[in-house]
Amino acid sequence: MSNKQFSSASYADSKPHYNILDGLRGAAALMVVWYHVFEGFAFAEGSAIDVFNHGYLAVDFFFMLSGFVISYAYDDRWNKMSLGDFFKRRLVRLHPMIIMGAIIGTVTFLLGGCAKWDGSITPATGVVLAFLLTCCFIPAWPGAMHEVRGNGEMFPLNGPSWSLFFEYIGNICYALFIRRLSTKALSVLVAVLGLIYIWFAVGNVSGYESVGVGWTVGDSVNIFGGFLRMMFPFSLGMLLARNFKPVRVRGIFWLAIILLFALFSVPFFPSVNGICVNGIFEMCCIMLIFPTIVWLGASGVTSDKTSTGVCKFLGDISYPLYIVHYPVMYLFYAWLIKNQVYTLGETWQVVACVYTLNVVLAYAALKLYDEPVRKWLTAKLKIGMKK
């Protein structure tokens, strides 16, 4: 699952932040954790997710935020930096937490006894290799020794890192060619990608009856679908930034959170006469509702200290939370399977502890590791805008 998703929150130096977008990114990250709680119930029971069904769409929302913020932060600054400068900035923003996610993922995998989902034990060499390759952000393929959990994840020590893999690709595409496109050419690119995405989703090309793809390199559908899933909202976010003119809506931060939660809570739609109705709903969210939320969120301002503080806190923890939460969820899933419990009513105390632990862990990783490391790297690499 991205997002710069939160990572794109690295606004360039002196430009002001979009506080409400920061807050919405963090709120969506909290919703991702909530979605993964119910994913755990379904996984333990061997059934489909039947609560908070569309939480995976938060990833598409993150990609759109990424495109918007990247375009805002860097489009007019290429006379002050080189390609190398840009890539160094992005690596410093993204990669320290990727390494932290690999560390936490390795620790939780060891705590789980190095057990795959089928009960077999992964040898130590596989764990070491998985850690090293994850730190280098080299994905695992199904059946490889370093695909340590045995369920095909691209990054088995920290599953949601797949979206950061495509985030990197989006950053590379932006720097090499998308930023060079005129607004008209970018509009054409967005339109073409949108038509392909409609075909992919409504035609159920993935066979999943959803756009929840990209998490494995085990098949071409996930590779192609993951790239498309990133590239369309990312490019659309860029287009929104280039054409942005504020439209004020009172209370948009809280209204947007309520709307996102409601959308993610919509039940799964079964296909009708070969048409993927769920895909139609997903396209409505990604192509219509998410752009509206991003536009209005960028237009809004926080008018009191409480809202400003909430937005800042949520924005600060959004990326760390996304990166660190899933290794903890692996242990939670194993506990569900062992105890054969499948509902929130049976496990709410444990869920509350897991949720709180993830938020605390994310904040600790931010303050004790991510911010100091990024500060050190920025000084060491002499990263900054030329005058």
Side-chain angles (χ1 to χ4, degrees):
M1 295 163 200
S2 166
N3 340 179
K4 21 278 26 17
Q5 297 150 253
F6 341 83
S7 43
S8 292
S10 177
Y11 307 131
D13 301 308
S14 61
K15 288 195 173 185
H17 289 206
Y18 286 116
N19 288 335
I20 289 179
L21 292 188
D22 281 347
L24 292 178
R25 191 177 61 250
L30 289 170
M31 293 181 203
V32 168
V33 180
W34 190 238
Y35 169 71
H36 284 146
V37 167
F38 292 99
E39 180 187 61
F41 295 147
F43 187 71
E45 192 176 15
S47 63
I49 300 174
D50 59 5
V51 178
F52 213 62
N53 301 67
H54 289 94
Y56 58 87
L57 290 176
V59 171
D60 305 83
F61 183 65
F62 295 144
F63 283 138
M64 193 171 297
L65 286 174
S66 292
F68 185 95
V69 176
I70 281 284
S71 184
Y72 165 71
Y74 294 107
D75 272 3
D76 61 352
R77 300 202 167 192
W78 286 93
N79 62 331
K80 298 180 181 180
M81 66 179 182
S82 65
L83 278 175
D85 294 330
F86 174 79
F87 289 131
K88 283 191 292 185
R89 292 174 70 90
R90 302 313 301 143
L91 281 169
V92 168
R93 180 65 186 97
L94 296 173
H95 216 77
M97 280 307 304
I98 288 172
I99 293 174
M100 176 55 68
I103 293 171
I104 297 174
T106 301
V107 171
T108 57
F109 188 65
L110 293 173
L111 290 174
C114 299
K116 296 184 178 181
W117 292 118
D118 63 4
S120 60
I121 303 301
T122 297
T125 51
V127 180
V128 172
L129 184 59
F131 171 74
L132 294 175
L133 292 181
T134 300
C135 289
C136 297
F137 226 37
I138 299 173
W141 57 91
M145 180 175 63
H146 56 289
E147 200 274 286
V148 293
R149 294 188 187 274
N151 60 345
E153 288 173 294
M154 188 184 294
F155 297 101
L157 294 175
N158 195 2
S161 292
W162 72 265
S163 63
L164 273 299
F165 178 80
F166 285 106
E167 175 78 18
Y168 269 33
I169 293 175
N171 277 244
I172 292 170
C173 290
Y174 165 77
L176 294 182
F177 76 91
I178 300 180
R179 68 178 176 86
R180 303 176 188 273
L181 298 177
S182 67
T183 300
K184 183 177 180 179
L186 180 60
S187 300
V188 172
L189 175 64
V190 170
V192 171
L193 289 171
L195 290 173
I196 297 172
Y197 208 8
I198 291 172
W199 162 77
F200 185 87
V202 179
N204 191 27
V205 174
S206 69
Y208 298 165
E209 295 190 272
S210 83
V211 296
V213 296
W215 54 276
T216 180
V217 293
D219 57 72
S220 58
V221 165
N222 268 278
I223 296 172
F224 171 74
F227 178 78
L228 180 62
R229 189 180 180 188
M230 175 277 299
M231 187 57 73
F232 172 73
F234 186 90
S235 300
L236 179 54
M238 286 187 60
L239 187 62
L240 292 174
R242 289 193 182 182
N243 293 281
F244 178 69
K245 293 179 181 179
V247 178
R248 304 293 188 199
V249 174
R250 186 178 179 85
I252 186 59
F253 174 59
W254 302 106
L255 290 173
I257 288 177
I258 292 170
L259 179 56
L260 286 173
F261 193 88
L263 290 172
F264 298 162
S265 300
V266 169
F268 179 85
F269 296 99
S271 295
V272 176
N273 297 325
I275 297 176
C276 185
V277 179
N278 203 63
I280 295 175
F281 172 75
E282 292 168 331
M283 291 300 98
C284 287
C285 290
I286 297 169
M287 295 184 169
L288 300 175
I289 303 176
F290 290 174
T292 302
I293 291 175
V294 171
W295 191 288
L296 295 178
S299 300
V301 293
T302 52
S303 57
D304 60 271
K305 289 184 178 180
T306 299
S307 295
T308 301
V310 169
C311 286
K312 183 181 186 308
F313 174 76
L314 291 177
D316 286 347
I317 69 165
S318 58
Y319 181 47
L321 179 61
Y322 187 79
I323 285 294
V324 306
H325 82 278
Y326 210 67
V328 177
M329 302 308 288
Y330 285 126
L331 295 178
F332 175 59
Y333 292 2
W335 180 85
L336 292 173
I337 293 170
K338 179 180 178 180
N339 291 276
Q340 297 185 357
V341 287
Y342 316 119
T343 67
L344 182 62
E346 297 172 285
T347 61
W348 67 267
Q349 298 97 329
V350 176
V351 169
C353 291
V354 168
Y355 213 93
T356 302
L357 173 61
N358 277 314
V359 173
V360 171
L361 184 60
Y363 190 74
L366 172 72
K367 293 300 181 180
L368 301 178
Y369 167 77
D370 190 39
E371 288 182 345
V373 169
R374 284 192 282 123
K375 183 178 180 180
W376 180 81
L377 287 173
T378 298
K380 188 74 173 177
L381 298 175
K382 296 181 173 59
I383 297 173
M385 291 293 179
K386 300 174 184 177
K387 302 296 185 183

